[in-house]
Amino acid sequence: MTDRRLFTRKLDLARGAVDMSHGSGGKAMAQLVRELFAAAFANPLLDQGNDQAAFDPPAGRMVVTTDGFVVSPLFFPGGDIGSLAVHGTVNDVAMAGAVPLYLTAGFILEEGFPLADLKRLVDSMAQAAREAGVSIVTGDTKVVERGKGDGVFITTTGIGVVPPGVAPSGERARPGDAILVSGTMGDHGVAIMSTRENLSFETDIRSDSAALHGLVAGMVGAVPDVHVLRDPTRGGLATTLNEIAHQSGVGMLLREAAIPLKAEVAAACELLGLDPLYVANEGKLIAICAAEDADRLLAAMRSHPLGAEAAVIGAVVEDSHRFVQMETRFGGKRIVDWLSGEQLPRIC
């Protein structure tokens, strides 16, 4: 049956809104899926119209990850929840050194959410997936009553494959290793908070949300034996390094002066009472490698646009307490502990 015979009129994407029938499993839901999601995400696997995607697995070790997105506001400088859902999941796959291949997407929609805004988010998500070279191959849509959601929540699953000889993992940091970051810290979290609090600065602060698999491909091409890759999202650089230190049973010593930080982000953090080391990032990564590989890895990172401001920020040390410490700009040392409490809720 054609869409013309099944649906009496087109979805009103300009003035319409999500209603409970869009999650009922009937014609209204079928129309929403066909005219919005399937149209934007079209690819051979999705176009089959099944409740799952069947494909031949590629050679190599497979990687799978799942992520949920509840960011508020839904639209922010440098991105939105749609593009963020793609970038965040692609990056989790990439932190295994893997090439991302496929995504799934689940949407929780609130009754009354404008279809124009939903289309904007879906189109942004589709564009981000195309730019990342991944296909959204299956998905699901549910609707909750007005007041029981917050517009849109998205859950994604990512699948990828790891090239031979590549095996970064959080337990592989060793004393003497170098610690690198791919660029400035805290951009995403400050962009979200400044939008949420209606703050303005002389220089626009934009989220760093980006897909990092291209950067990672260049890195593992130059140094296949990268010990650890991790994206410092919630909890920021500080919490992520504490996670790795505990996984590997080591300590870390950072140099405050070496950590890249935009002046406007530092100023915003001071105004908001935030420590930039704990502020989320969505387009940056941490890499840990053998000291003798650090220069080669740094050069590979800086040769990619998303790693142009990469830096070596410290070293892994022996420490049975698994402390992360930092040499301050004033010559002293301080403990860089785990994030305590919720500094920035609903940041991704």
Side-chain angles (χ1 to χ4, degrees), residues 309-332:
E309 297 178 278
V312 179
I313 64 166
V316 179
V317 297
E318 290 190 19
D319 184 351
S320 61
H321 299 292
R322 307 180 185 187
F323 288 154
V324 177
Q325 301 182 67
M326 185 167 68
E327 294 177 347
T328 70
R329 296 177 186 274
F330 305 105

Side-chain angles (χ1 to χ4, degrees), residues 275-329:
D275 184 336
L277 295 185
Y278 295 92
V279 177
N281 311 271
E282 288 291 347
K284 302 297 188 326
L285 62 79
I286 298 165
I288 299 178
C289 68
E292 59 268 25
D293 292 331
D295 287 345
R296 190 162 72 256
L297 186 61
L298 182 63
M301 295 168 75
R302 288 180 172 173
S303 70
H304 191 281
L306 295 178
E309 297 178 278
V312 179
I313 64 166
V316 179
V317 297
E318 290 190 19
D319 184 351
S320 61
H321 299 292
R322 307 180 185 187
F323 288 154
V324 177
Q325 301 182 67
M326 185 167 68
E327 294 177 347
T328 70
R329 296 177 186 274

Side-chain angles (χ1 to χ4, degrees), residues 15-24 32 74 107-115 117-118 141-153:
R15 296 175 298 276
V18 173
D19 62 45
M20 295 305 296
S21 68
H22 288 131
S24 68
L32 181 71
L74 297 174
F107 290 79
I108 307 297
L109 309 177
E110 183 182 12
E111 180 186 18
F113 187 72
L115 289 177
D117 285 346
L118 181 59
T141 305
K142 297 291 192 300
V143 178
V144 298
E145 297 90 342
R146 192 187 304 268
K148 294 188 177 180
D150 196 5
V152 179
F153 297 149

Side-chain angles (χ1 to χ4, degrees), residues 66-318:
T66 295
D67 212 343
F69 298 88
V70 298
V71 65
S72 177
L74 297 174
F75 302 94
F76 48 84
D80 53 63
I81 193 173
S83 59
L84 182 64
V86 172
H87 294 158
T89 308
V90 164
N91 291 347
D92 283 348
V93 171
M95 294 308 106
V99 177
L101 300 173
Y102 304 115
L103 299 178
T104 75
F107 290 79
I108 307 297
L109 309 177
E110 183 182 12
E111 180 186 18
F113 187 72
L115 289 177
D117 285 346
L118 181 59
K119 182 178 186 331
R120 183 179 166 193
L121 292 172
V122 169
D123 287 346
S124 175
M125 193 171 183
Q127 180 179 346
R130 286 192 298 270
E131 292 174 351
V134 297
S135 298
I136 300 172
V137 296
T138 189
D140 188 43
T141 305
K142 297 291 192 300
V143 178
V144 298
E145 297 90 342
R146 192 187 304 268
K148 294 188 177 180
D150 196 5
V152 179
F153 297 149
I154 302 176
T155 298
T156 49
T157 295
I159 297 171
V161 62
V162 184
V166 175
S169 185
E171 78 278 359
R172 293 192 60 210
R174 297 291 179 264
D177 284 355
I179 305 170
L180 300 85
V181 294
S182 62
T184 54
M185 295 288 104
D187 299 359
H188 174 73
V190 170
I192 295 294
M193 287 302 295
S194 60
T195 303
R196 195 181 291 171
E197 301 298 330
N198 293 315
L199 300 176
S200 59
F201 302 92
E202 289 185 4
T203 303
D204 286 341
I205 300 175
R206 298 176 63 81
S207 168
D208 59 355
S209 180
L212 296 172
H213 60 297
L215 171 62
V216 169
M219 293 168 62
V220 299
V223 181
D225 191 29
V226 176
H227 292 174
V228 182
L229 291 171
R230 191 70 60 86
D231 54 337
T233 54
R234 286 172 295 173
L237 177 67
T239 297
T240 306
L241 289 177
N242 273 280
E243 291 173 354
I244 297 169
H246 276 257
Q247 279 184 268
S248 293
V250 297
M252 297 183 182
L253 182 59
L254 311 179
R255 299 189 306 278
E256 184 178 22
I259 298 172
L261 187 66
K262 291 177 180 174
E264 56 268 30
V265 170
C269 285
E270 185 173 356
L271 179 65
L272 294 166
L274 303 174
D275 184 336
L277 295 185
Y278 295 92
V279 177
N281 311 271
E282 288 291 347
K284 302 297 188 326
L285 62 79
I286 298 165
I288 299 178
C289 68
E292 59 268 25
D293 292 331
D295 287 345
R296 190 162 72 256
L297 186 61
L298 182 63
M301 295 168 75
R302 288 180 172 173
S303 70
H304 191 281
L306 295 178
E309 297 178 278
V312 179
I313 64 166
V316 179
V317 297
E318 290 190 19

Side-chain angles (χ1 to χ4, degrees), residues 6-7 20-33:
L6 182 59
F7 310 126
M20 295 305 296
S21 68
H22 288 131
S24 68
K27 283 187 179 182
M29 180 174 170
Q31 185 175 23
L32 181 71
V33 169

